[in-house]
Amino acid sequence: MEKLPDRIKRIDVMRIEYGKRKLCECHNPHYEIDYRNRLVTCEDCGAVIEPFEALYEIAKHYERLENQVQSLLEQRQEIANYKPHMVVIKDLEKMYRGDNYSMVPVCPKCGEAFDLKELVSWKNRKFLKPEN
């Protein structure tokens, strides 16, 4: 067998390192896409993210996005259901139903208490006389 050389030349074009930590370790990262340079960066820590990794993280956290959309839809519904002219009626209903129906309204003119069942007629708002 031939004699081996004293110094063995290493052939390593590329080395794999498994022990390094990820550049971005943000819990809920916010990504910015640089279209011109084809880079994705984390707006929170500034790390450059491999685009596939960013896409994977977004897909993994789709529930967060879905929850945000659901929250916005609920907020939109609340705004659509808000009727400022009904605030007084809703307040009256809360007081009337509270404490086992023990509260009844009082007439603002004479000060006498009355049951809401006594309200039998209504007038158009345009006939309301302004108070002096």
Side-chain angles (χ1 to χ4, degrees):
M1 188 167 191
E2 293 182 31
K3 183 178 176 189
L4 294 173
D6 294 336
R7 297 188 81 196
I8 298 176
K9 294 184 182 179
R10 291 181 50 144
I11 304 173
D12 52 341
V13 176
M14 188 177 300
R15 187 178 289 193
I16 299 174
E17 178 60 52
Y18 293 104
K20 292 194 176 187
R21 65 180 184 85
K22 289 176 65 174
L23 294 176
C24 175
E25 294 181 342
C26 298
H27 183 62
N28 290 322
H30 299 90
Y31 297 120
E32 180 181 85
I33 298 173
D34 179 354
Y35 177 77
R36 179 157 297 186
N37 296 308
R38 296 181 176 263
L39 293 174
V40 178
T41 55
C42 175
E43 290 183 329
D44 299 333
C45 67
V48 176
I49 310 297
E50 198 272 320
F52 182 81
E53 180 74 21
L55 187 61
Y56 175 73
E57 287 295 320
I58 291 170
K60 195 166 76 173
H61 294 290
Y62 75 93
E63 287 182 15
R64 186 181 78 197
L65 298 174
E66 187 176 317
N67 290 340
Q68 288 174 350
V69 168
Q70 187 62 36
S71 175
L72 289 171
L73 288 173
E74 288 171 4
Q75 187 177 19
R76 179 181 180 269
Q77 190 63 39
E78 286 177 16
I79 291 170
N81 290 339
Y82 178 68
K83 294 174 177 60
H85 61 281
M86 296 297 291
V87 171
V88 173
I89 299 297
K90 288 179 181 180
D91 288 344
L92 279 173
E93 181 186 23
K94 285 178 189 173
M95 288 186 273
Y96 189 71
R97 289 182 182 222
D99 296 330
N100 299 325
Y101 302 103
S102 62
M103 302 293 285
V104 292
V106 175
C107 175
K109 302 289 184 194
C110 66
E112 290 290 321
F114 68 94
D115 194 348
L116 285 178
K117 295 175 190 170
E118 295 179 36
L119 293 176
V120 291
S121 64
W122 296 75
K123 288 187 179 179
N124 193 317
R125 189 179 303 273
K126 66 183 176 184
F127 295 117
L128 187 63
K129 295 179 185 176
E131 292 184 26
N132 294 337

